Amino acid sequence: MANEKVIVFQGDSVTDCGRNYKDPYELGKGYAMIAASLLAASDTDTSYTFYNRGISGNRVKDLRARWEEDCIALKPDVVSILIGINDCWRRYDQNDPTSTEQFESGYRELLEHTKQTGAEILLLEPFVLPYPVDREAWREDLDPKIQVVRKLAREFQAPLVPLDGLFASKLYDKPAPFWAEDGVHPTYAGHAIIAKAWRDAYQKLENRAD
């Protein structure tokens, strides 16, 4: 095939989703696998290589520590990033907060490094659903970080997948546990929602190339 593209999915457990670390091409059981399948099936003129390098528990600082090996070295054409919920969560379960300023500076460093390679960037905003009820208190910490991701998407002209707002709208259809049993980790239905939204955002990159 004349067209070849490398796409890297980066993030935390929502991206990781039980992938086999011993298989470099294994995509896990979540949105990365679904999104890759949708894209490969819809664009048969392009030969895609997909990598999932999400690691459960990761924060922005963890991505920074492994970015050269787990992203840049893969020579991606497109880098998809979903990070931020653990930068919030660790404040509440381990008393180890990440300030909004630290989150933004670390995230911007990742994006600047990536842009220098010529790769396109696609950003997914972190999200939390109001279940269990203690998740509602996380809004104080997570909402500013969501705004950072939206700001960076504009700054780096990266298509944005607005997951927090998207899942909020889905609560009118089904209760929170239907989409994410603990408010954070999606069910199969939740992963399907992310994958479809990811594909829509990726279309913007394709349109830009045209």
Side-chain angles (χ1 to χ4, degrees):
M1 292 184 181
N3 299 323
E4 296 183 357
K5 283 190 178 180
V6 174
I7 298 179
V8 176
F9 295 93
Q10 272 289 358
D12 49 40
S13 58
V14 179
T15 301
D16 180 336
C17 203
R19 68 181 177 90
N20 178 4
Y21 290 11
K22 295 180 180 180
D23 182 350
Y25 300 104
E26 214 271 332
L27 296 175
K29 302 175 180 65
Y31 80 87
M33 181 273 293
I34 301 170
S37 300
L38 289 172
L39 182 55
S42 65
D43 183 6
T44 54
D45 292 329
T46 302
S47 176
Y48 288 99
T49 300
F50 298 100
Y51 296 103
N52 183 345
R53 291 298 183 269
I55 294 182
S56 181
N58 266 197
R59 292 186 267 183
V60 162
K61 67 178 184 180
D62 300 303
L63 294 191
R64 289 176 63 200
R66 61 185 181 84
W67 204 244
E68 188 64 41
E69 177 182 359
D70 278 352
C71 184
I72 304 302
L74 299 174
K75 301 186 184 306
D77 295 293
V78 178
V79 179
S80 169
I81 307 172
L82 170 55
I83 200 69
I85 190 59
N86 292 312
D87 295 84
C88 167
W89 201 341
R90 295 295 84 85
R91 168 181 173 180
Y92 297 97
D93 68 348
Q94 296 181 14
N95 192 28
D96 184 15
T98 301
S99 72
T100 302
E101 293 74 20
Q102 289 171 323
F103 180 74
E104 180 172 348
S105 63
Y107 210 143
R108 177 174 280 104
E109 183 178 317
L110 291 177
L111 300 183
E112 289 173 344
H113 191 183
T114 304
K115 272 294 187 181
Q116 290 172 2
T117 71
E120 296 278 10
I121 297 168
L122 194 155
L123 299 184
L124 296 81
E125 66 184 28
F127 63 91
V128 67
L129 280 66
Y131 183 85
V133 293
D134 69 317
R135 304 301 194 240
E136 296 182 15
W138 293 13
R139 283 287 160 197
E140 177 186 4
D141 190 281
L142 186 62
D143 283 354
K145 292 180 171 66
I146 292 173
Q147 292 302 320
V148 164
V149 176
R150 294 174 180 176
K151 172 184 175 182
L152 292 173
R154 294 191 299 270
E155 182 179 329
F156 286 85
Q157 298 184 312
L160 174 70
V161 185
L163 292 182
D164 195 63
L166 180 58
F167 275 117
S169 71
K170 291 297 180 181
L171 297 181
Y172 289 93
D173 301 325
K174 294 283 186 178
F178 180 84
W179 306 111
E181 293 178 355
D182 62 354
V184 173
H185 296 96
T187 59
Y188 287 127
H191 277 290
I193 292 298
I194 298 174
K196 290 173 66 178
W198 186 96
R199 182 64 184 89
D200 290 343
Y202 184 84
Q203 186 67 51
K204 296 179 181 179
L205 293 178
E206 292 182 328
N207 293 340
R208 183 186 299 174
D210 294 339

